[in-house]
């Protein structure tokens, strides 16, 4: 079984910008994504995923390094001043690399 290296980009941010981010991800080359509700505590305090205005989401994108960099740069520039957003990138091995 052969595996191929890809990047796993994780974005944790406010649910209010979900639709906008999905459009941006697709425009920046993401072939797909997974979105889940997120809750937790960080420098901005505790966030509860059950209440709309305070809800957070976790977006995950499997992609190549160029796409990960493009998404991080664009989202950081456009949203970091006005929205809570954490992004991190990790190395993963995938099967069926043409899907990502």
């Amino acid at each position: 079984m052969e595996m191929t290296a890809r990047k796993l980009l994780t974005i944790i941010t406010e649910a209010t910008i979900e639709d906008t981010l999905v459009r941006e991800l697709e425009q920046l080359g993401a072939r797909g994504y997974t979105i889940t509700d997120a809750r937790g505590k960080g420098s901005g305090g505790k966030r509860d995923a059950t209440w709309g205005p305070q809800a957070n989401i976790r977006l995950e994108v499997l992609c190549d390094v160029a796409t990960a960099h493009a998404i991080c740069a664009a989202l950081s520039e456009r949203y970091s001043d006005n929205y809570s957003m954490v992004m991190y990138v990790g190395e993963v091995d995938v099967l069926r690399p043409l899907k990502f």
Side-chain angles (χ1 to χ4, degrees), residues 3 10 13-15 34 49-50 52 58 61 63 65 69 72 79 92:
M3 294 194 198
T10 302
T13 191
E14 299 174 35
T34 299
T50 61
R58 176 183 179 140
V61 180
C63 56
V65 66
H69 282 269
C72 287
Y79 300 100
V92 296

Side-chain angles (χ1 to χ4, degrees), residues 11 21-30 33 59 61 71:
I11 305 159
L21 289 181
V22 165
R23 283 191 298 276
E24 296 247 10
L25 291 175
E26 291 172 346
Q27 290 171 355
L28 291 164
Y33 52 84
L59 291 100
V61 180
I71 292 170

